[in-house]
Amino acid sequence: MRRRHVLTLAAVGAVAAGCSDEDKAKPPPGSGSPATGQRPSLAAGGPAFPEGFAWGASTSAYQVEGAAAEDGRGPSVWDTFSHQAGRTRGGDTGDVAADHYHRVYEDLDLMKDLGLNSYRFSISWSRVLPEGRGALNAKGLDFYHRLVDGLLERKITPVATLFHWDTPQALQDKGGWERRDCAQWFADYAQQMFYSLGDKVSTWLTLNEPKSVVSLGYVAGVHAPGKKDRRLGDIVGHHLLLGHGLAVRAFRQTGRKGGIGAALNLSPVYAADDSAAARKQADALDLEENRRWLDPVLLGRYPDAWLDHQAAEVRAAIRDGDLATIGERTDLLAVQYYNPAYVSANGGRVVRHPTTQASWLEVYPDGLYDLLTRIKRDYGDIPLTITENGMPTVNDVRDDDRIAFLRDHFAAAHRAIQAGVKLQGFHVWSLLDNFEWAEGYSQRWGLIRVDRDTRDRRRKASAEWYRGVIARNGLDT
Ligand code: FCB
């Protein structure tokens, strides 16, 4: 229990393992009406996806790059955290990670070989700005030019995330996201990236999973910076969203073409039984898991019911005009889906479906359908792309369990498209086995195996299977 359970634990109480069979209080996955606008072509065999659908894979800088102290890179909070005793499994760090920094061309060829037409990566803020602000580190920036040029040469669309949890340590020393200033520091860095790479990168993601930063980094304290202070975490959450809005504004000001949005991890929440008390708990949890992030970004407001429960310090951090900034129009929403959340009448979490090596990852593909159709219903037709979904497995390269997992989630995504959801892409987490934060290298999430000692790459069965899906733009039967 190191990852996702923590938010719900903090929000609604203890995890209640096990559940009774009669509680099947989930909305039925309907097939809905045919897609509006997007027309899935029907190939022989399994379901086909719309033409031009983005098939991708995801990584993040600290998890794959390595080269932590090379070419002028400054440390981030994750360098600091992973080097502290007892923070990560086995004391693992991202010093070398998957050594992607040095093997970038090999990795680009692997992507090409898979047939990917989209690749979602993140920029290490402290590689391009070792102090977090000021003059750019040309050598660090060059790496991203090499990566992006290599993608474009291979006809793979770059999708760049600006913040995947690796706040520069120099800024953390000044208070990091706990300080309101950090939102502006982030927007300034973002603007430098739009100017530097914006003629080549046309899809930008501001924040990766602000919810995880709050719940894991500031409530449970199991991620960097390792604090346990919910109020502070909620203030950080607001500053992160403010940084998102300021970065979107900066993007518009640069006049760069393309689109920008946030990457949010969302979980459909279900009452574990039909009681009014369980439904009330589910509404409360939905506020924390979903609405507290979606409403400000897409509607420009926090839900009243969420605000009502915030401490005075948190409310004071929300200033006039902030919500207009946070709600600045975005062009897409990047959805990251791993698990549903079932909650009982007493507020305990109920685990209803099988889990994986990552105990928090409860496998429920229909949850993806429910999530995507709910976003359409409640927030309208903003284009969506899935930027993370996947599972770890202890099976080495014969990862048939991952194939089954992905097939079921692709099928759920396809049903959502048929129901009219404007889903434009699916990026599997992850391209490579990598540094899984507090779990170190103990969990392997990659389509491509990375040897722990030599860092040699080897395609897993799931990579071969995914290549087939991409080639036919659809599932097998
Ligand atoms: C997501 C993170 C990603 C990876 C996957 C398994 O929450 O964004 O970096 O850790 O989970």
Side-chain angles (χ1 to χ4, degrees):
M1 205 283 308
R2 292 170 82 106
R3 297 268 324 242
R4 306 318 140 89
H5 284 324
V6 291
L7 172 68
T8 41
L9 262 178
V12 295
V15 171
C19 55
S20 59
D21 275 342
E22 74 262 13
D23 311 326
K24 291 255 149 55
K26 67 178 175 62
S31 53
S33 55
T36 47
Q38 279 181 309
R39 204 167 298 156
S41 52
L42 288 178
F49 282 74
E51 233 174 274
F53 193 74
W55 290 109
S58 287
T59 61
S60 89
Y62 189 70
Q63 294 180 274
V64 298
E65 285 179 4
E70 274 178 59
D71 293 340
R73 177 183 179 274
S76 77
V77 291
W78 265 98
D79 294 270
T80 308
F81 187 78
S82 64
H83 280 269
Q84 289 167 352
R87 294 298 203 176
T88 64
R89 199 175 286 272
D92 289 346
T93 74
D95 286 0
V96 181
D99 202 25
H100 173 67
Y101 190 79
H102 297 117
R103 294 172 185 251
V104 61
Y105 291 111
E106 184 184 350
D107 291 341
L108 284 162
D109 285 342
L110 283 164
M111 291 183 222
K112 169 89 187 151
D113 175 71
L114 269 175
L116 300 188
N117 55 24
S118 188
Y119 175 58
R120 185 257 183 160
F121 62 96
S122 80
I123 297 172
S124 158
W125 184 349
S126 63
R127 192 182 290 290
V128 295
L129 287 167
E131 298 290 316
R133 311 172 63 193
L136 284 168
N137 171 29
K139 283 190 174 171
L141 186 59
D142 276 354
F143 170 71
Y144 297 104
H145 277 294
R146 286 198 291 282
L147 172 63
V148 168
D149 289 344
L151 289 168
L152 295 175
E153 277 160 24
R154 290 165 183 77
K155 302 201 174 7
I156 302 170
T157 303
V159 177
T161 306
L162 289 157
F163 176 69
H164 200 123
W165 303 354
D166 45 0
T167 313
Q169 184 59 43
L171 297 184
Q172 188 67 31
D173 293 342
K174 296 184 166 71
W177 290 102
E178 294 152 39
R179 259 177 77 174
R180 189 178 167 89
D181 297 329
C182 198
Q184 189 59 54
W185 299 335
F186 173 68
D188 292 345
Y189 144 67
Q191 188 177 49
Q192 284 170 291
M193 293 304 101
F194 303 143
Y195 280 126
S196 303
L197 294 163
D199 54 340
K200 303 174 186 174
V201 174
S202 56
T203 305
W204 294 93
L205 303 176
T206 52
L207 310 174
N208 178 72
E209 301 192 353
K211 179 169 70 182
S212 300
V213 176
V214 173
S215 62
L216 303 170
Y218 280 89
V219 180
V222 295
H223 276 193
K227 302 203 176 177
K228 292 187 185 174
D229 183 337
R230 169 165 277 282
R231 273 182 206 178
L232 188 59
D234 286 330
I235 291 170
V236 163
H238 180 68
H239 292 161
L240 281 161
L241 288 177
L242 189 60
H244 156 84
L246 290 171
V248 172
R249 230 172 235 173
F251 180 71
R252 305 282 179 231
Q253 279 160 5
T254 60
R256 287 299 198 191
K257 293 209 177 64
I260 189 163
L264 302 180
N265 54 324
L266 303 166
S267 285
V269 176
Y270 307 104
D273 61 60
D274 283 337
S275 66
R279 283 203 300 273
K280 203 168 155 211
Q281 293 287 355
D283 285 345
L285 185 58
D286 184 47
L287 281 174
E288 279 297 333
E289 292 283 345
N290 304 308
R291 293 192 50 205
R292 173 242 177 119
W293 306 104
L294 286 165
D295 285 20
V297 168
L298 297 180
L299 306 176
R301 57 173 190 256
Y302 283 117
D304 289 339
W306 181 80
L307 269 181
D308 288 348
H309 285 95
Q310 294 310 302
E313 297 100 297
V314 180
R315 295 166 69 104
I318 304 168
R319 302 209 189 141
D320 284 354
D322 284 1
L323 271 303
T325 305
I326 296 169
E328 193 73 40
R329 181 183 62 78
T330 45
D331 307 290
L332 75 155
L333 176 70
V335 175
Q336 314 204 148
Y337 172 71
Y338 288 100
N339 59 288
Y342 291 85
V343 61
S344 67
N346 67 12
R349 268 289 293 274
V350 175
V351 178
R352 178 61 59 76
H353 303 285
T355 55
T356 69
Q357 187 197 10
S359 58
W360 54 267
L361 204 176
E362 186 179 351
V363 182
Y364 185 52
D366 285 348
L368 177 60
Y369 174 89
D370 291 344
L371 174 64
L372 295 173
T373 49
R374 184 262 176 109
I375 295 171
K376 176 181 167 64
R377 187 185 69 228
D378 292 352
Y379 299 93
D381 270 331
I382 181 160
L384 305 179
T385 184
I386 293 166
T387 40
E388 287 190 27
N389 174 254
M391 68 172 278
T393 169
V394 292
N395 295 327
D396 200 43
V397 289
R398 299 266 8 128
D399 56 345
D400 293 344
D401 46 355
R402 178 176 287 113
I403 294 176
F405 178 99
L406 291 175
R407 180 186 282 120
D408 290 347
H409 284 83
F410 290 170
H414 186 265
R415 285 202 305 281
I417 293 170
Q418 286 184 307
V421 171
K422 230 177 174 176
L423 180 68
Q424 300 184 331
F426 200 121
H427 301 75
V428 172
W429 184 272
S430 177
L431 178 69
L432 303 168
D433 287 342
N434 60 49
F435 174 77
E436 175 51 23
W437 310 112
E439 300 299 336
Y441 298 96
S442 66
Q443 293 180 0
R444 293 177 169 275
W445 291 76
L447 295 161
I448 295 179
R449 180 182 190 280
V450 177
D451 188 273
R452 275 299 305 273
D453 302 317
T454 63
R455 265 89 188 175
D456 285 348
R457 273 71 166 139
R458 192 165 155 209
R459 281 186 296 270
K460 301 182 189 179
S462 57
E464 303 293 351
W465 174 82
Y466 191 29
R467 184 209 270 137
V469 171
I470 298 172
R472 77 177 85 85
N473 194 32
L475 291 175
D476 40 11
T477 35

